[in-house]
Structures are given as C-alpha cells and as structure tokens.
C-alpha cells in the first residue's frame, strides 16, 4: 500500500469504504452474527477512515491491517455480540480473504488492462475500476456463505 499522498479522499469513498463494508459483511457471516446493515455499514466506514488516517503517519507497512483486524474483532464482539473465539477467527479470515481476492483480481486484471503497478497507483480511475471487482467478490462470498450456513451446511445453494 502507498502513503496518504497516493490515496485521495475520493478513493476512500469509492474504494476504501465499500471494501471495508464487504470485509465486515464477510466477518459477520463467518462469526454467525445476523446481518444488521446499520452496524455493518458503520463498522465498515470506521475501519476505512481508521485505515486512511493511520496511513498519514510514517509507521511500518502493514501495521494498519493489524489495527483493522483488532478493530473488526472489537466490532464483532461488542456491536455484533459475537462469540470471542469465533469473532477472532472471523476477523482473521475476512482479512485473509481480502488479501487473497485482491491478489487474484490484481494479478488477472492488470494484464488484461495492460496496467503495471507504476501506472496503477497514480491513475485514480484505473485503480478504482480494477479494484472494484474484489469488493463484489467479497460480497458474493459473504452472501453465498451466509446462504450455505442458513441451510445447515448442506451443499444446495438455491
């Protein structure tokens, strides 16, 4: 991830907030907490702003992820009234899913669009367009997992 200069406020609104709302949604599903959208949206917005603010400071790369995992864990246990161990697992797995899905999407979409990392970060429009599919994939994973879990773990999806 880059420093705050490379993360304009519009990127926070169009990329950061939706991404964090998707991660929180997935965490709620994994933690088996009912999807309360006002809590999910509020938590996602807070996580996105915390991530944005932490990047202002010159701290070690990746420290914001650890902070976000802790804050998500707190949101799951406090706001969602989730089980402690399941909330911790959900926090870790949700961010792991984000990292994996982001890696796969960027690895596939950057060559398709002929974009290199050097072109991606300075071009806000391309960066937002290429990173939006990962948000949709995280939401799709959350909703499919939720549907699967509601059916008692049976393999029928529809």
């Amino acid at each position: 991830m880059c420093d705050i200069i490379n993360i304009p406020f519009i990127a926070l609104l169009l990329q950061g907030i939706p991404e964090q709302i998707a991660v929180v949604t997935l965490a709620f599903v994994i933690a088996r907490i009912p999807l309360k959208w006002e809590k999910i949206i509020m938590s996602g917005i807070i996580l996105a702003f915390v991530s944005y603010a932490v990047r202002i400071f010159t701290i070690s790369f990746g420290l914001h992820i650890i902070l976000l995992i802790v804050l998500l864990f707190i949101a799951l246990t406090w706001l969602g009234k989730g089980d402690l161990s399941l909330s911790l697992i959900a926090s870790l797995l949700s961010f792991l899913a984000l990292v994996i899905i982001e890696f796969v999407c960027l690895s596939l979409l950057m060559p398709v669009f002929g974009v290199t990392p050097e072109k991606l970060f300075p071009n806000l429009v391309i960066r937002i367009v290429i990173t939006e599919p990962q948000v949709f994939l995280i939401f799709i994973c959350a909703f499919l997992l939720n549907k699967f879990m509601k059916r008692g773990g049976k393999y029928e999806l529809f």
Side-chain angles (χ1 to χ4, degrees), residues 18-28 47 72 94-95 98 138:
E19 180 179 277
Q20 291 306 313
I21 291 172
V23 168
V24 173
T25 303
L26 182 59
F28 265 66
L47 288 178
L72 180 56
S94 296
F95 277 99
L98 171 65
I138 294 169

Side-chain angles (χ1 to χ4, degrees), residues 111-127:
V112 167
F113 288 102
V115 176
T116 63
E118 294 79 24
K119 287 186 199 173
L120 180 67
F121 291 110
N123 190 323
L124 182 61
V125 173
I126 291 174
R127 185 167 72 187

Side-chain angles (χ1 to χ4, degrees), residues 82-149:
D83 173 71
L84 286 174
S85 59
L86 200 50
S87 295
L88 179 61
I89 291 168
S91 300
L92 292 168
L93 286 178
S94 296
F95 277 99
L96 178 62
L98 171 65
V99 168
I100 291 169
I101 291 171
E102 185 172 345
F103 175 77
V104 169
C105 284
L106 288 176
S107 295
L108 294 173
L109 293 176
M110 286 174 61
V112 167
F113 288 102
V115 176
T116 63
E118 294 79 24
K119 287 186 199 173
L120 180 67
F121 291 110
N123 190 323
L124 182 61
V125 173
I126 291 174
R127 185 167 72 187
I128 290 172
V129 168
I130 285 184
T131 58
E132 282 308 306
Q134 73 194 31
V135 174
F136 293 119
L137 285 174
I138 294 169
F139 272 122
I140 289 168
C141 288
F143 288 118
L144 288 176
L145 183 60
N146 192 39
K147 191 169 188 91
F148 177 76
M149 290 169 76

Side-chain angles (χ1 to χ4, degrees), residues 3 31 41 49 63 70 85 97 106 110 146-147 153-154:
D3 58 295
I41 292 169
F49 273 98
L63 190 61
V70 170
S85 59
L106 288 176
M110 286 174 61
N146 192 39
K147 191 169 188 91
K154 296 179 184 167

